Amino acid sequence: MAEPWTVLKILKWTAGYLQERGIEGARLDAELLLIEVLKLDRVGLYVNYDRPLEATELAAYRQLVGRRARREPVAYILGRSEFWSLPLLVRPDVLIPRPDTEVLVEEALQRAGDECRILDVGTGSGAIAIALAHELPNARLVAIDISEAALTVAQENARSNGVGERISFQSGNLQRLPVGPFELIVANPPYIPQGDLAALQPEVRDYEPQLALAGGKDGLDCYRALAAQSPQCLSSGGWMLLEVGIGQAELVQQLLTEVGLVEVFCRNDYAGVARVVGGRRAVTA
Ligand SMILES: C[S@@+](CC[C@H](N)C(=O)[O-])C[C@H]1O[C@@H](n2cnc3c(N)ncnc32)[C@H](O)[C@@H]1O
């Protein structure tokens, strides 16, 4: 009789299989998918290395591993992710929130007053707005997205994280921002230049929404629109904070300076990449 597939044996096999298909972090992915099937936590998995898998478990695991081998991101397979240590539902309608974006939240929190009015442009899963609402109990937020499907996910996430009452989710195009005025406008807009889309990792290119990625010919279309509208949408002294892609920080700083914002700055993420650009409307008497 063939040796049974134990937890450890199948983990080793799967990690090798996924690695051969060019998947980084193959062992971790193998573990996350097995944790899902066996309904264990990480420790539970490690103390059960010798446990043989039942036929139904094996079949369910094979199916998930097949999806990952076709480069579907783990977050879409599991239907969930995490941002700012908050659990978020994710579906292929929304970008999977990235840890880099937490730097934008940090910068926003340094500038947010107690009863701040905040606009989150291109909210996607709602990650940024929900993190800010979670940290700022007296803030009122408006979160817009052009994608109705994304707004449905964002609303569900806000509800499950207990901040649904303080975020107004609205269908909207960043070419015409709500008038506000807002003390804080935050955005992680689509910023991949058209010509770079084809070379993205398959996980991103083939699974994440194009609407969340494509930023026009040079990747800066959304920044131009956001910068142009900032003077009328920001309150006196209000801040606009924007996540930017690699190599875009200087150009976006220039855009904010050109429309008259002051104290324009750039902040690196924890990998040392210039990641957040911000500027404020001058304080008027
Ligand atoms: C890069 S994703 C960011 C999602 C989320 N804020 C995050 O950081 O994880 C950009 C979002 O902008 C939205 N979007 C794209 N074009 C837009 C437009 N013209 N007006 C409003 N939202 C737009 C997309 O649907 C997508 O949800």
mmCIF file with all atom_site columns, all heavy atoms in Angstrom, residues 29 32-33 67-68 72-82 88-92 94-98 208:
data_model
loop_
_atom_site.group_PDB
_atom_site.id
_atom_site.type_symbol
_atom_site.label_atom_id
_atom_site.label_alt_id
_atom_site.label_comp_id
_atom_site.label_asym_id
_atom_site.label_entity_id
_atom_site.label_seq_id
_atom_site.pdbx_PDB_ins_code
_atom_site.Cartn_x
_atom_site.Cartn_y
_atom_site.Cartn_z
_atom_site.occupancy
_atom_site.B_iso_or_equiv
_atom_site.pdbx_formal_charge
_atom_site.auth_seq_id
_atom_site.auth_comp_id
_atom_site.auth_asym_id
_atom_site.auth_atom_id
_atom_site.pdbx_PDB_model_num
ATOM 1   N N   . ASP A 1 29  ? 2.836   29.718 0.981   1.00 0.00 ? 29  ASP A N   1
ATOM 2   C CA  . ASP A 1 29  ? 1.556   29.560 0.278   1.00 0.00 ? 29  ASP A CA  1
ATOM 3   C C   . ASP A 1 29  ? 0.999   28.154 0.484   1.00 0.00 ? 29  ASP A C   1
ATOM 4   O O   . ASP A 1 29  ? -0.202  27.980 0.721   1.00 0.00 ? 29  ASP A O   1
ATOM 5   C CB  . ASP A 1 29  ? 1.729   29.851 -1.213  1.00 0.00 ? 29  ASP A CB  1
ATOM 6   C CG  . ASP A 1 29  ? 1.957   31.333 -1.482  1.00 0.00 ? 29  ASP A CG  1
ATOM 7   O OD1 . ASP A 1 29  ? 1.953   32.113 -0.507  1.00 0.00 ? 29  ASP A OD1 1
ATOM 8   O OD2 . ASP A 1 29  ? 2.131   31.704 -2.653  1.00 0.00 ? 29  ASP A OD2 1
ATOM 9   N N   . LEU A 1 32  ? -0.508  28.106 3.907   1.00 0.00 ? 32  LEU A N   1
ATOM 10  C CA  . LEU A 1 32  ? -1.755  28.879 4.045   1.00 0.00 ? 32  LEU A CA  1
ATOM 11  C C   . LEU A 1 32  ? -2.942  28.128 3.433   1.00 0.00 ? 32  LEU A C   1
ATOM 12  O O   . LEU A 1 32  ? -4.050  28.135 3.980   1.00 0.00 ? 32  LEU A O   1
ATOM 13  C CB  . LEU A 1 32  ? -1.606  30.254 3.380   1.00 0.00 ? 32  LEU A CB  1
ATOM 14  C CG  . LEU A 1 32  ? -0.643  31.212 4.088   1.00 0.00 ? 32  LEU A CG  1
ATOM 15  C CD1 . LEU A 1 32  ? -0.399  32.462 3.250   1.00 0.00 ? 32  LEU A CD1 1
ATOM 16  C CD2 . LEU A 1 32  ? -1.185  31.587 5.472   1.00 0.00 ? 32  LEU A CD2 1
ATOM 17  N N   . LEU A 1 33  ? -2.696  27.475 2.311   1.00 0.00 ? 33  LEU A N   1
ATOM 18  C CA  . LEU A 1 33  ? -3.783  26.742 1.650   1.00 0.00 ? 33  LEU A CA  1
ATOM 19  C C   . LEU A 1 33  ? -4.174  25.495 2.452   1.00 0.00 ? 33  LEU A C   1
ATOM 20  O O   . LEU A 1 33  ? -5.348  25.150 2.549   1.00 0.00 ? 33  LEU A O   1
ATOM 21  C CB  . LEU A 1 33  ? -3.383  26.383 0.221   1.00 0.00 ? 33  LEU A CB  1
ATOM 22  C CG  . LEU A 1 33  ? -3.115  27.574 -0.710  1.00 0.00 ? 33  LEU A CG  1
ATOM 23  C CD1 . LEU A 1 33  ? -2.681  27.108 -2.092  1.00 0.00 ? 33  LEU A CD1 1
ATOM 24  C CD2 . LEU A 1 33  ? -4.346  28.481 -0.840  1.00 0.00 ? 33  LEU A CD2 1
ATOM 25  N N   . ARG A 1 67  ? -5.124  26.111 -8.379  1.00 0.00 ? 67  ARG A N   1
ATOM 26  C CA  . ARG A 1 67  ? -5.398  27.540 -8.620  1.00 0.00 ? 67  ARG A CA  1
ATOM 27  C C   . ARG A 1 67  ? -4.137  28.367 -8.400  1.00 0.00 ? 67  ARG A C   1
ATOM 28  O O   . ARG A 1 67  ? -3.806  29.252 -9.174  1.00 0.00 ? 67  ARG A O   1
ATOM 29  C CB  . ARG A 1 67  ? -6.534  28.018 -7.706  1.00 0.00 ? 67  ARG A CB  1
ATOM 30  C CG  . ARG A 1 67  ? -7.897  27.469 -8.130  1.00 0.00 ? 67  ARG A CG  1
ATOM 31  C CD  . ARG A 1 67  ? -8.970  27.773 -7.120  1.00 0.00 ? 67  ARG A CD  1
ATOM 32  N NE  . ARG A 1 67  ? -9.275  29.184 -7.009  1.00 0.00 ? 67  ARG A NE  1
ATOM 33  C CZ  . ARG A 1 67  ? -10.165 29.696 -6.162  1.00 0.00 ? 67  ARG A CZ  1
ATOM 34  N NH1 . ARG A 1 67  ? -10.852 28.895 -5.359  1.00 0.00 ? 67  ARG A NH1 1
ATOM 35  N NH2 . ARG A 1 67  ? -10.391 30.987 -6.133  1.00 0.00 ? 67  ARG A NH2 1
ATOM 36  N N   . ARG A 1 68  ? -3.427  28.057 -7.326  1.00 0.00 ? 68  ARG A N   1
ATOM 37  C CA  . ARG A 1 68  ? -2.203  28.833 -7.039  1.00 0.00 ? 68  ARG A CA  1
ATOM 38  C C   . ARG A 1 68  ? -1.143  28.581 -8.119  1.00 0.00 ? 68  ARG A C   1
ATOM 39  O O   . ARG A 1 68  ? -0.432  29.497 -8.519  1.00 0.00 ? 68  ARG A O   1
ATOM 40  C CB  . ARG A 1 68  ? -1.664  28.447 -5.648  1.00 0.00 ? 68  ARG A CB  1
ATOM 41  C CG  . ARG A 1 68  ? -0.482  29.276 -5.200  1.00 0.00 ? 68  ARG A CG  1
ATOM 42  C CD  . ARG A 1 68  ? -0.852  30.734 -4.983  1.00 0.00 ? 68  ARG A CD  1
ATOM 43  N NE  . ARG A 1 68  ? 0.311   31.593 -4.822  1.00 0.00 ? 68  ARG A NE  1
ATOM 44  C CZ  . ARG A 1 68  ? 0.748   32.456 -5.748  1.00 0.00 ? 68  ARG A CZ  1
ATOM 45  N NH1 . ARG A 1 68  ? 0.121   32.576 -6.912  1.00 0.00 ? 68  ARG A NH1 1
ATOM 46  N NH2 . ARG A 1 68  ? 1.793   33.206 -5.524  1.00 0.00 ? 68  ARG A NH2 1
ATOM 47  N N   . GLU A 1 72  ? -2.964  32.329 -9.437  1.00 0.00 ? 72  GLU A N   1
ATOM 48  C CA  . GLU A 1 72  ? -3.989  33.114 -8.737  1.00 0.00 ? 72  GLU A CA  1
ATOM 49  C C   . GLU A 1 72  ? -3.443  33.478 -7.349  1.00 0.00 ? 72  GLU A C   1
ATOM 50  O O   . GLU A 1 72  ? -2.905  32.610 -6.637  1.00 0.00 ? 72  GLU A O   1
ATOM 51  C CB  . GLU A 1 72  ? -5.272  32.285 -8.604  1.00 0.00 ? 72  GLU A CB  1
ATOM 52  C CG  . GLU A 1 72  ? -6.431  33.080 -8.035  1.00 0.00 ? 72  GLU A CG  1
ATOM 53  C CD  . GLU A 1 72  ? -7.753  32.302 -8.074  1.00 0.00 ? 72  GLU A CD  1
ATOM 54  O OE1 . GLU A 1 72  ? -7.824  31.247 -8.746  1.00 0.00 ? 72  GLU A OE1 1
ATOM 55  O OE2 . GLU A 1 72  ? -8.714  32.759 -7.433  1.00 0.00 ? 72  GLU A OE2 1
ATOM 56  N N   . PRO A 1 73  ? -3.550  34.744 -6.931  1.00 0.00 ? 73  PRO A N   1
ATOM 57  C CA  . PRO A 1 73  ? -3.014  35.113 -5.616  1.00 0.00 ? 73  PRO A CA  1
ATOM 58  C C   . PRO A 1 73  ? -3.738  34.399 -4.474  1.00 0.00 ? 73  PRO A C   1
ATOM 59  O O   . PRO A 1 73  ? -4.948  34.154 -4.542  1.00 0.00 ? 73  PRO A O   1
ATOM 60  C CB  . PRO A 1 73  ? -3.288  36.627 -5.544  1.00 0.00 ? 73  PRO A CB  1
ATOM 61  C CG  . PRO A 1 73  ? -3.473  37.070 -6.948  1.00 0.00 ? 73  PRO A CG  1
ATOM 62  C CD  . PRO A 1 73  ? -4.066  35.904 -7.678  1.00 0.00 ? 73  PRO A CD  1
ATOM 63  N N   . VAL A 1 74  ? -2.985  34.087 -3.429  1.00 0.00 ? 74  VAL A N   1
ATOM 64  C CA  . VAL A 1 74  ? -3.561  33.391 -2.273  1.00 0.00 ? 74  VAL A CA  1
ATOM 65  C C   . VAL A 1 74  ? -4.751  34.183 -1.699  1.00 0.00 ? 74  VAL A C   1
ATOM 66  O O   . VAL A 1 74  ? -5.765  33.609 -1.314  1.00 0.00 ? 74  VAL A O   1
ATOM 67  C CB  . VAL A 1 74  ? -2.491  33.160 -1.184  1.00 0.00 ? 74  VAL A CB  1
ATOM 68  C CG1 . VAL A 1 74  ? -3.122  32.683 0.114   1.00 0.00 ? 74  VAL A CG1 1
ATOM 69  C CG2 . VAL A 1 74  ? -1.481  32.128 -1.653  1.00 0.00 ? 74  VAL A CG2 1
ATOM 70  N N   . ALA A 1 75  ? -4.630  35.497 -1.664  1.00 0.00 ? 75  ALA A N   1
ATOM 71  C CA  . ALA A 1 75  ? -5.709  36.310 -1.069  1.00 0.00 ? 75  ALA A CA  1
ATOM 72  C C   . ALA A 1 75  ? -7.032  36.118 -1.815  1.00 0.00 ? 75  ALA A C   1
ATOM 73  O O   . ALA A 1 75  ? -8.096  36.084 -1.188  1.00 0.00 ? 75  ALA A O   1
ATOM 74  C CB  . ALA A 1 75  ? -5.323  37.791 -1.063  1.00 0.00 ? 75  ALA A CB  1
ATOM 75  N N   . TYR A 1 76  ? -6.985  35.999 -3.129  1.00 0.00 ? 76  TYR A N   1
ATOM 76  C CA  . TYR A 1 76  ? -8.232  35.754 -3.877  1.00 0.00 ? 76  TYR A CA  1
ATOM 77  C C   . TYR A 1 76  ? -8.726  34.326 -3.651  1.00 0.00 ? 76  TYR A C   1
ATOM 78  O O   . TYR A 1 76  ? -9.927  34.078 -3.592  1.00 0.00 ? 76  TYR A O   1
ATOM 79  C CB  . TYR A 1 76  ? -8.040  35.990 -5.373  1.00 0.00 ? 76  TYR A CB  1
ATOM 80  C CG  . TYR A 1 76  ? -7.864  37.454 -5.766  1.00 0.00 ? 76  TYR A CG  1
ATOM 81  C CD1 . TYR A 1 76  ? -7.040  37.812 -6.819  1.00 0.00 ? 76  TYR A CD1 1
ATOM 82  C CD2 . TYR A 1 76  ? -8.545  38.469 -5.095  1.00 0.00 ? 76  TYR A CD2 1
ATOM 83  C CE1 . TYR A 1 76  ? -6.880  39.142 -7.193  1.00 0.00 ? 76  TYR A CE1 1
ATOM 84  C CE2 . TYR A 1 76  ? -8.389  39.809 -5.465  1.00 0.00 ? 76  TYR A CE2 1
ATOM 85  C CZ  . TYR A 1 76  ? -7.552  40.128 -6.515  1.00 0.00 ? 76  TYR A CZ  1
ATOM 86  O OH  . TYR A 1 76  ? -7.390  41.438 -6.890  1.00 0.00 ? 76  TYR A OH  1
ATOM 87  N N   . ILE A 1 77  ? -7.798  33.383 -3.545  1.00 0.00 ? 77  ILE A N   1
ATOM 88  C CA  . ILE A 1 77  ? -8.215  31.985 -3.310  1.00 0.00 ? 77  ILE A CA  1
ATOM 89  C C   . ILE A 1 77  ? -8.918  31.876 -1.948  1.00 0.00 ? 77  ILE A C   1
ATOM 90  O O   . ILE A 1 77  ? -9.965  31.250 -1.823  1.00 0.00 ? 77  ILE A O   1
ATOM 91  C CB  . ILE A 1 77  ? -6.995  31.026 -3.367  1.00 0.00 ? 77  ILE A CB  1
ATOM 92  C CG1 . ILE A 1 77  ? -6.345  31.065 -4.752  1.00 0.00 ? 77  ILE A CG1 1
ATOM 93  C CG2 . ILE A 1 77  ? -7.422  29.606 -3.019  1.00 0.00 ? 77  ILE A CG2 1
ATOM 94  C CD1 . ILE A 1 77  ? -5.053  30.254 -4.865  1.00 0.00 ? 77  ILE A CD1 1
ATOM 95  N N   . LEU A 1 78  ? -8.342  32.533 -0.950  1.00 0.00 ? 78  LEU A N   1
ATOM 96  C CA  . LEU A 1 78  ? -8.929  32.462 0.403   1.00 0.00 ? 78  LEU A CA  1
ATOM 97  C C   . LEU A 1 78  ? -10.087 33.446 0.557   1.00 0.00 ? 78  LEU A C   1
ATOM 98  O O   . LEU A 1 78  ? -10.923 33.304 1.456   1.00 0.00 ? 78  LEU A O   1
ATOM 99  C CB  . LEU A 1 78  ? -7.868  32.773 1.468   1.00 0.00 ? 78  LEU A CB  1
ATOM 100 C CG  . LEU A 1 78  ? -6.626  31.880 1.491   1.00 0.00 ? 78  LEU A CG  1
ATOM 101 C CD1 . LEU A 1 78  ? -5.707  32.286 2.633   1.00 0.00 ? 78  LEU A CD1 1
ATOM 102 C CD2 . LEU A 1 78  ? -7.015  30.404 1.621   1.00 0.00 ? 78  LEU A CD2 1
ATOM 103 N N   . GLY A 1 79  ? -10.110 34.488 -0.287  1.00 0.00 ? 79  GLY A N   1
ATOM 104 C CA  . GLY A 1 79  ? -11.169 35.500 -0.202  1.00 0.00 ? 79  GLY A CA  1
ATOM 105 C C   . GLY A 1 79  ? -10.947 36.484 0.929   1.00 0.00 ? 79  GLY A C   1
ATOM 106 O O   . GLY A 1 79  ? -11.869 37.185 1.352   1.00 0.00 ? 79  GLY A O   1
ATOM 107 N N   . ARG A 1 80  ? -9.728  36.548 1.421   1.00 0.00 ? 80  ARG A N   1
ATOM 108 C CA  . ARG A 1 80  ? -9.487  37.493 2.504   1.00 0.00 ? 80  ARG A CA  1
ATOM 109 C C   . ARG A 1 80  ? -8.024  37.919 2.545   1.00 0.00 ? 80  ARG A C   1
ATOM 110 O O   . ARG A 1 80  ? -7.137  37.252 1.999   1.00 0.00 ? 80  ARG A O   1
ATOM 111 C CB  . ARG A 1 80  ? -9.900  36.919 3.857   1.00 0.00 ? 80  ARG A CB  1
ATOM 112 C CG  . ARG A 1 80  ? -9.187  35.667 4.218   1.00 0.00 ? 80  ARG A CG  1
ATOM 113 C CD  . ARG A 1 80  ? -9.594  35.159 5.598   1.00 0.00 ? 80  ARG A CD  1
ATOM 114 N NE  . ARG A 1 80  ? -8.783  34.021 5.938   1.00 0.00 ? 80  ARG A NE  1
ATOM 115 C CZ  . ARG A 1 80  ? -9.070  32.783 5.610   1.00 0.00 ? 80  ARG A CZ  1
ATOM 116 N NH1 . ARG A 1 80  ? -10.176 32.510 4.953   1.00 0.00 ? 80  ARG A NH1 1
ATOM 117 N NH2 . ARG A 1 80  ? -8.259  31.798 5.928   1.00 0.00 ? 80  ARG A NH2 1
ATOM 118 N N   . SER A 1 81  ? -7.822  39.062 3.208   1.00 0.00 ? 81  SER A N   1
ATOM 119 C CA  . SER A 1 81  ? -6.484  39.605 3.357   1.00 0.00 ? 81  SER A CA  1
ATOM 120 C C   . SER A 1 81  ? -6.471  40.401 4.657   1.00 0.00 ? 81  SER A C   1
ATOM 121 O O   . SER A 1 81  ? -7.446  40.389 5.419   1.00 0.00 ? 81  SER A O   1
ATOM 122 C CB  . SER A 1 81  ? -6.183  40.497 2.147   1.00 0.00 ? 81  SER A CB  1
ATOM 123 O OG  . SER A 1 81  ? -4.864  40.957 2.197   1.00 0.00 ? 81  SER A OG  1
ATOM 124 N N   . GLU A 1 82  ? -5.377  41.118 4.857   1.00 0.00 ? 82  GLU A N   1
ATOM 125 C CA  . GLU A 1 82  ? -5.263  41.898 6.091   1.00 0.00 ? 82  GLU A CA  1
ATOM 126 C C   . GLU A 1 82  ? -4.596  43.215 5.756   1.00 0.00 ? 82  GLU A C   1
ATOM 127 O O   . GLU A 1 82  ? -3.692  43.256 4.902   1.00 0.00 ? 82  GLU A O   1
ATOM 128 C CB  . GLU A 1 82  ? -4.394  41.118 7.069   1.00 0.00 ? 82  GLU A CB  1
ATOM 129 C CG  . GLU A 1 82  ? -4.713  41.433 8.506   1.00 0.00 ? 82  GLU A CG  1
ATOM 130 C CD  . GLU A 1 82  ? -3.886  40.607 9.470   1.00 0.00 ? 82  GLU A CD  1
ATOM 131 O OE1 . GLU A 1 82  ? -2.732  40.980 9.694   1.00 0.00 ? 82  GLU A OE1 1
ATOM 132 O OE2 . GLU A 1 82  ? -4.422  39.621 9.991   1.00 0.00 ? 82  GLU A OE2 1
ATOM 133 N N   . LEU A 1 88  ? -9.784  41.848 6.105   1.00 0.00 ? 88  LEU A N   1
ATOM 134 C CA  . LEU A 1 88  ? -10.567 42.381 4.990   1.00 0.00 ? 88  LEU A CA  1
ATOM 135 C C   . LEU A 1 88  ? -10.951 41.262 4.032   1.00 0.00 ? 88  LEU A C   1
ATOM 136 O O   . LEU A 1 88  ? -10.124 40.396 3.711   1.00 0.00 ? 88  LEU A O   1
ATOM 137 C CB  . LEU A 1 88  ? -9.770  43.426 4.207   1.00 0.00 ? 88  LEU A CB  1
ATOM 138 C CG  . LEU A 1 88  ? -9.380  44.715 4.921   1.00 0.00 ? 88  LEU A CG  1
ATOM 139 C CD1 . LEU A 1 88  ? -8.570  45.606 3.991   1.00 0.00 ? 88  LEU A CD1 1
ATOM 140 C CD2 . LEU A 1 88  ? -10.607 45.467 5.437   1.00 0.00 ? 88  LEU A CD2 1
ATOM 141 N N   . LEU A 1 89  ? -12.205 41.354 3.570   1.00 0.00 ? 89  LEU A N   1
ATOM 142 C CA  . LEU A 1 89  ? -12.652 40.465 2.508   1.00 0.00 ? 89  LEU A CA  1
ATOM 143 C C   . LEU A 1 89  ? -12.065 40.994 1.194   1.00 0.00 ? 89  LEU A C   1
ATOM 144 O O   . LEU A 1 89  ? -12.070 42.211 0.978   1.00 0.00 ? 89  LEU A O   1
ATOM 145 C CB  . LEU A 1 89  ? -14.184 40.553 2.485   1.00 0.00 ? 89  LEU A CB  1
ATOM 146 C CG  . LEU A 1 89  ? -14.935 40.193 1.237   1.00 0.00 ? 89  LEU A CG  1
ATOM 147 C CD1 . LEU A 1 89  ? -15.102 38.686 1.192   1.00 0.00 ? 89  LEU A CD1 1
ATOM 148 C CD2 . LEU A 1 89  ? -16.291 40.885 1.216   1.00 0.00 ? 89  LEU A CD2 1
ATOM 149 N N   . VAL A 1 90  ? -11.523 40.128 0.367   1.00 0.00 ? 90  VAL A N   1
ATOM 150 C CA  . VAL A 1 90  ? -11.117 40.579 -0.969  1.00 0.00 ? 90  VAL A CA  1
ATOM 151 C C   . VAL A 1 90  ? -11.700 39.663 -2.041  1.00 0.00 ? 90  VAL A C   1
ATOM 152 O O   . VAL A 1 90  ? -11.774 38.450 -1.849  1.00 0.00 ? 90  VAL A O   1
ATOM 153 C CB  . VAL A 1 90  ? -9.575  40.663 -1.156  1.00 0.00 ? 90  VAL A CB  1
ATOM 154 C CG1 . VAL A 1 90  ? -8.956  41.754 -0.324  1.00 0.00 ? 90  VAL A CG1 1
ATOM 155 C CG2 . VAL A 1 90  ? -8.882  39.345 -0.884  1.00 0.00 ? 90  VAL A CG2 1
ATOM 156 N N   . ARG A 1 91  ? -12.153 40.294 -3.113  1.00 0.00 ? 91  ARG A N   1
ATOM 157 C CA  . ARG A 1 91  ? -12.623 39.556 -4.280  1.00 0.00 ? 91  ARG A CA  1
ATOM 158 C C   . ARG A 1 91  ? -11.863 40.103 -5.484  1.00 0.00 ? 91  ARG A C   1
ATOM 159 O O   . ARG A 1 91  ? -11.280 41.197 -5.385  1.00 0.00 ? 91  ARG A O   1
ATOM 160 C CB  . ARG A 1 91  ? -14.131 39.802 -4.466  1.00 0.00 ? 91  ARG A CB  1
ATOM 161 C CG  . ARG A 1 91  ? -14.976 39.071 -3.448  1.00 0.00 ? 91  ARG A CG  1
ATOM 162 C CD  . ARG A 1 91  ? -16.400 38.887 -3.974  1.00 0.00 ? 91  ARG A CD  1
ATOM 163 N NE  . ARG A 1 91  ? -17.235 40.069 -3.833  1.00 0.00 ? 91  ARG A NE  1
ATOM 164 C CZ  . ARG A 1 91  ? -18.047 40.307 -2.816  1.00 0.00 ? 91  ARG A CZ  1
ATOM 165 N NH1 . ARG A 1 91  ? -18.118 39.456 -1.811  1.00 0.00 ? 91  ARG A NH1 1
ATOM 166 N NH2 . ARG A 1 91  ? -18.793 41.382 -2.789  1.00 0.00 ? 91  ARG A NH2 1
ATOM 167 N N   . PRO A 1 92  ? -11.904 39.414 -6.612  1.00 0.00 ? 92  PRO A N   1
ATOM 168 C CA  . PRO A 1 92  ? -11.153 39.903 -7.781  1.00 0.00 ? 92  PRO A CA  1
ATOM 169 C C   . PRO A 1 92  ? -11.593 41.294 -8.245  1.00 0.00 ? 92  PRO A C   1
ATOM 170 O O   . PRO A 1 92  ? -10.942 41.897 -9.086  1.00 0.00 ? 92  PRO A O   1
ATOM 171 C CB  . PRO A 1 92  ? -11.451 38.851 -8.855  1.00 0.00 ? 92  PRO A CB  1
ATOM 172 C CG  . PRO A 1 92  ? -11.751 37.621 -8.085  1.00 0.00 ? 92  PRO A CG  1
ATOM 173 C CD  . PRO A 1 92  ? -12.446 38.064 -6.834  1.00 0.00 ? 92  PRO A CD  1
ATOM 174 N N   . VAL A 1 94  ? -11.413 43.871 -6.400  1.00 0.00 ? 94  VAL A N   1
ATOM 175 C CA  . VAL A 1 94  ? -10.614 44.876 -5.681  1.00 0.00 ? 94  VAL A CA  1
ATOM 176 C C   . VAL A 1 94  ? -9.141  44.490 -5.672  1.00 0.00 ? 94  VAL A C   1
ATOM 177 O O   . VAL A 1 94  ? -8.784  43.304 -5.658  1.00 0.00 ? 94  VAL A O   1
ATOM 178 C CB  . VAL A 1 94  ? -11.086 45.072 -4.209  1.00 0.00 ? 94  VAL A CB  1
ATOM 179 C CG1 . VAL A 1 94  ? -12.522 45.541 -4.167  1.00 0.00 ? 94  VAL A CG1 1
ATOM 180 C CG2 . VAL A 1 94  ? -10.893 43.822 -3.370  1.00 0.00 ? 94  VAL A CG2 1
ATOM 181 N N   . LEU A 1 95  ? -8.308  45.521 -5.661  1.00 0.00 ? 95  LEU A N   1
ATOM 182 C CA  . LEU A 1 95  ? -6.874  45.302 -5.482  1.00 0.00 ? 95  LEU A CA  1
ATOM 183 C C   . LEU A 1 95  ? -6.640  44.663 -4.113  1.00 0.00 ? 95  LEU A C   1
ATOM 184 O O   . LEU A 1 95  ? -7.306  45.030 -3.137  1.00 0.00 ? 95  LEU A O   1
ATOM 185 C CB  . LEU A 1 95  ? -6.163  46.656 -5.526  1.00 0.00 ? 95  LEU A CB  1
ATOM 186 C CG  . LEU A 1 95  ? -4.648  46.596 -5.528  1.00 0.00 ? 95  LEU A CG  1
ATOM 187 C CD1 . LEU A 1 95  ? -4.123  46.672 -6.965  1.00 0.00 ? 95  LEU A CD1 1
ATOM 188 C CD2 . LEU A 1 95  ? -4.033  47.743 -4.720  1.00 0.00 ? 95  LEU A CD2 1
ATOM 189 N N   . ILE A 1 96  ? -5.701  43.748 -4.049  1.00 0.00 ? 96  ILE A N   1
ATOM 190 C CA  . ILE A 1 96  ? -5.315  43.190 -2.741  1.00 0.00 ? 96  ILE A CA  1
ATOM 191 C C   . ILE A 1 96  ? -4.507  44.277 -2.020  1.00 0.00 ? 96  ILE A C   1
ATOM 192 O O   . ILE A 1 96  ? -3.503  44.753 -2.567  1.00 0.00 ? 96  ILE A O   1
ATOM 193 C CB  . ILE A 1 96  ? -4.468  41.915 -2.922  1.00 0.00 ? 96  ILE A CB  1
ATOM 194 C CG1 . ILE A 1 96  ? -5.280  40.845 -3.671  1.00 0.00 ? 96  ILE A CG1 1
ATOM 195 C CG2 . ILE A 1 96  ? -3.981  41.386 -1.575  1.00 0.00 ? 96  ILE A CG2 1
ATOM 196 C CD1 . ILE A 1 96  ? -4.443  39.718 -4.252  1.00 0.00 ? 96  ILE A CD1 1
ATOM 197 N N   . PRO A 1 97  ? -4.945  44.726 -0.851  1.00 0.00 ? 97  PRO A N   1
ATOM 198 C CA  . PRO A 1 97  ? -4.212  45.817 -0.200  1.00 0.00 ? 97  PRO A CA  1
ATOM 199 C C   . PRO A 1 97  ? -2.779  45.412 0.113   1.00 0.00 ? 97  PRO A C   1
ATOM 200 O O   . PRO A 1 97  ? -2.516  44.275 0.514   1.00 0.00 ? 97  PRO A O   1
ATOM 201 C CB  . PRO A 1 97  ? -5.010  46.087 1.082   1.00 0.00 ? 97  PRO A CB  1
ATOM 202 C CG  . PRO A 1 97  ? -5.950  44.952 1.236   1.00 0.00 ? 97  PRO A CG  1
ATOM 203 C CD  . PRO A 1 97  ? -6.084  44.259 -0.069  1.00 0.00 ? 97  PRO A CD  1
ATOM 204 N N   . ARG A 1 98  ? -1.841  46.344 -0.099  1.00 0.00 ? 98  ARG A N   1
ATOM 205 C CA  . ARG A 1 98  ? -0.415  46.079 0.075   1.00 0.00 ? 98  ARG A CA  1
ATOM 206 C C   . ARG A 1 98  ? 0.100   46.692 1.369   1.00 0.00 ? 98  ARG A C   1
ATOM 207 O O   . ARG A 1 98  ? -0.305  47.809 1.726   1.00 0.00 ? 98  ARG A O   1
ATOM 208 C CB  . ARG A 1 98  ? 0.397   46.688 -1.079  1.00 0.00 ? 98  ARG A CB  1
ATOM 209 C CG  . ARG A 1 98  ? -0.075  46.323 -2.481  1.00 0.00 ? 98  ARG A CG  1
ATOM 210 C CD  . ARG A 1 98  ? 0.143   44.854 -2.762  1.00 0.00 ? 98  ARG A CD  1
ATOM 211 N NE  . ARG A 1 98  ? 0.242   44.542 -4.187  1.00 0.00 ? 98  ARG A NE  1
ATOM 212 C CZ  . ARG A 1 98  ? -0.749  44.208 -4.990  1.00 0.00 ? 98  ARG A CZ  1
ATOM 213 N NH1 . ARG A 1 98  ? -1.992  44.165 -4.530  1.00 0.00 ? 98  ARG A NH1 1
ATOM 214 N NH2 . ARG A 1 98  ? -0.529  43.902 -6.256  1.00 0.00 ? 98  ARG A NH2 1
ATOM 215 N N   . GLU A 1 208 ? -5.625  40.872 -10.894 1.00 0.00 ? 208 GLU A N   1
ATOM 216 C CA  . GLU A 1 208 ? -6.095  42.088 -10.211 1.00 0.00 ? 208 GLU A CA  1
ATOM 217 C C   . GLU A 1 208 ? -6.796  42.982 -11.240 1.00 0.00 ? 208 GLU A C   1
ATOM 218 O O   . GLU A 1 208 ? -6.504  42.939 -12.440 1.00 0.00 ? 208 GLU A O   1
ATOM 219 C CB  . GLU A 1 208 ? -4.921  42.800 -9.527  1.00 0.00 ? 208 GLU A CB  1
ATOM 220 C CG  . GLU A 1 208 ? -4.288  41.885 -8.477  1.00 0.00 ? 208 GLU A CG  1
ATOM 221 C CD  . GLU A 1 208 ? -3.649  42.612 -7.308  1.00 0.00 ? 208 GLU A CD  1
ATOM 222 O OE1 . GLU A 1 208 ? -4.371  43.063 -6.402  1.00 0.00 ? 208 GLU A OE1 1
ATOM 223 O OE2 . GLU A 1 208 ? -2.414  42.695 -7.297  1.00 0.00 ? 208 GLU A OE2 1
#
